[in-house]
Amino acid sequence: MFKKIFYGIVVLLAILLPLFVGPYYLHLMVLTGIYCLLVLGLNIIMGYTGPASLAQASFYGIGAYTSAILTTRLGLSFWIAMPLSVLLIIIISVFLGVITLRLVSHYFAIATFGLCEIIFIVMDNWVPVTNGPSGIHDIKPPETINLFPLSLIDLSSRVHYYYFVLFFVILTVVFTVYLLRSRMGRAFVAIREDEELARAEGIYVMKYKVYAFVISAIIAAVSGSLFAHYLQFITPGMFTIFESLNLVIVLLIGGSGTIAGPILGSLINVLIPEIFNILPEIRMVIYGFFVILFIVFLPEGLVGFGKKLLSAEFLKNITRKLNLVPAAD
């Protein structure tokens, strides 16, 4: 009950946010929402199933470039381009997943590292299609749907686009919750906890790993499409291996294998550099130092630390130290 009330309050605050912030901070919240989607997707494969994927930024980039190319070069509608980008990602991720997920532990991470670099090189050098390092510009925002009441939604408006992204974030959170309650979700967690035991229990480990990899990639593709049509320009430099590494860091800061972790991590990823904007020369140095402190002192992330604070044993120890409860004999 407490969790439902908490998440209800968070959703209500997110809905009311545009009433209290200016255009710049609303812009940051749109980017935070898109980033949150990315990390929620990474959480499916890395947080709940186990394998540490460094290919998330690649799927993000493929989704962005596919949607941008289909709308700018072929003149397709966003509402057609986004599903087509997802379809392409499903094909690519199934193919790559079947090949790479046979590897275990750090070997899989190294393989996805290589995939990310290959896809970046393709984006950067396939000039006739991707326009190379110059990227793609003049990407149009999603078109208005001529069907009441959807015709009232103008996604060229920053406020409307914020709610559009928020819808996808809420949808992804709800999907994740129901996924974890399903047989597939329970199989994911069993594989994460002990892959050999899961295999001994009759779980087809390879199949479920591929499922997790594909779901993660689909969410990344949706994020990429939303990002391209919001920012209205993209370049290969936005989808490098450093972006994948940052996604892993954001997930670890928030709390891997939790629902709230990707949301908290994404907020911190945006807010901390902004707080230190008064020191532009060293703000990223401060952010890097901040990340190191988090990884060293809060290895379970913010959510894990919060659970520890609220645990009965922790509260009992604190009250005992404060002499609020007599020690047991």
Side-chain angles (χ1 to χ4, degrees):
M1 179 61 73
F2 174 76
K3 281 186 178 181
K4 291 181 179 179
I5 294 173
F6 173 75
Y7 285 122
I9 292 172
V10 170
V11 171
L12 181 61
L13 290 174
I15 292 172
L16 296 176
L17 183 67
L19 300 176
F20 303 104
V21 299
Y24 176 68
Y25 288 101
L26 189 60
H27 165 71
L28 291 180
M29 289 301 103
V30 173
L31 294 179
T32 301
I34 293 172
Y35 214 78
C36 183
L37 272 176
L38 262 176
V39 185
L40 283 166
L42 179 63
N43 199 28
I44 298 293
I45 180 67
M46 181 175 169
Y48 292 116
T49 314
S53 173
L54 296 178
Q56 194 73 347
S58 297
F59 298 134
Y60 180 43
I62 293 171
Y65 266 94
T66 303
S67 192
I69 291 168
L70 291 176
T71 53
T72 59
R73 305 277 180 84
L74 302 182
L76 296 182
S77 166
F78 165 83
W79 306 106
I80 298 175
M82 176 189 272
L84 288 177
S85 67
V86 169
L87 179 61
L88 177 62
I89 280 293
I90 291 173
I91 296 170
I92 292 173
S93 59
V94 168
F95 175 72
L96 295 178
V98 169
I99 295 173
T100 59
L101 285 166
R102 299 181 186 279
L103 303 172
V104 295
S105 186
H106 53 280
Y107 295 107
F108 172 72
I110 293 171
T112 53
F113 179 99
L115 287 174
C116 195
E117 282 295 292
I118 291 169
I119 292 171
F120 167 73
I121 290 170
V122 171
M123 290 178 185
D124 202 42
N125 291 277
W126 198 7
V127 177
V129 176
T130 65
N131 206 28
S134 299
I136 299 176
H137 299 259
D138 300 322
I139 305 168
K140 304 297 182 184
E143 302 85 354
T144 300
I145 300 175
N146 294 320
L147 180 66
F148 186 83
L150 297 177
S151 58
L152 301 175
I153 301 173
D154 178 14
L155 292 176
S156 62
S157 161
R158 186 168 292 171
V159 174
H160 288 198
Y161 209 95
Y162 167 79
Y163 286 120
F164 187 52
V165 172
L166 181 62
F167 166 76
F168 277 99
V169 172
I170 294 172
L171 184 66
T172 304
V173 168
V174 172
F175 168 77
T176 303
V177 170
Y178 280 95
L179 175 67
L180 294 175
R181 293 176 181 174
S182 69
R183 180 179 180 180
M184 185 184 296
R186 292 193 294 271
F188 289 170
V189 175
I191 293 168
R192 180 193 67 188
E193 296 301 318
D194 193 323
E195 186 173 321
E196 291 303 319
L197 181 58
R199 187 175 284 108
E201 289 293 324
I203 295 174
Y204 192 172
V205 172
M206 184 63 184
K207 179 180 75 172
Y208 284 109
K209 278 186 175 182
V210 172
Y211 284 164
F213 191 64
V214 172
I215 292 170
S216 174
I218 289 172
I219 297 172
V222 172
S223 305
S225 185
L226 291 173
F227 178 73
H229 289 273
Y230 174 67
L231 214 58
Q232 299 182 23
F233 76 91
I234 51 173
T235 64
M238 296 173 174
F239 312 108
T240 65
I241 185 60
F242 299 106
E243 188 65 27
S244 281
L245 291 170
N246 193 52
L247 289 169
V248 173
I249 291 170
V250 169
L251 179 59
L252 294 176
I253 287 175
S256 179
T258 66
I259 299 293
I263 300 171
L264 291 174
S266 299
L267 283 170
I268 286 175
N269 181 64
V270 172
L271 293 179
I272 294 301
E274 283 302 313
I275 289 172
F276 292 105
N277 248 344
I278 54 175
L279 302 168
E281 295 84 3
I282 60 170
R283 74 182 183 117
M284 294 312 294
V285 174
I286 296 173
Y287 176 65
F289 183 68
F290 180 82
V291 168
I292 292 171
L293 289 178
F294 253 97
I295 300 300
V296 172
F297 295 104
L298 298 177
E300 296 180 352
L302 284 172
V303 174
F305 179 66
K307 288 179 179 178
K308 184 178 179 181
L309 284 178
L310 295 174
S311 67
E313 188 64 30
F314 182 82
L315 293 174
K316 185 177 179 181
N317 290 336
I318 292 296
T319 52
R320 184 176 295 166
K321 288 179 181 179
L322 295 174
N323 296 321
L324 297 176
V325 175
D329 293 332

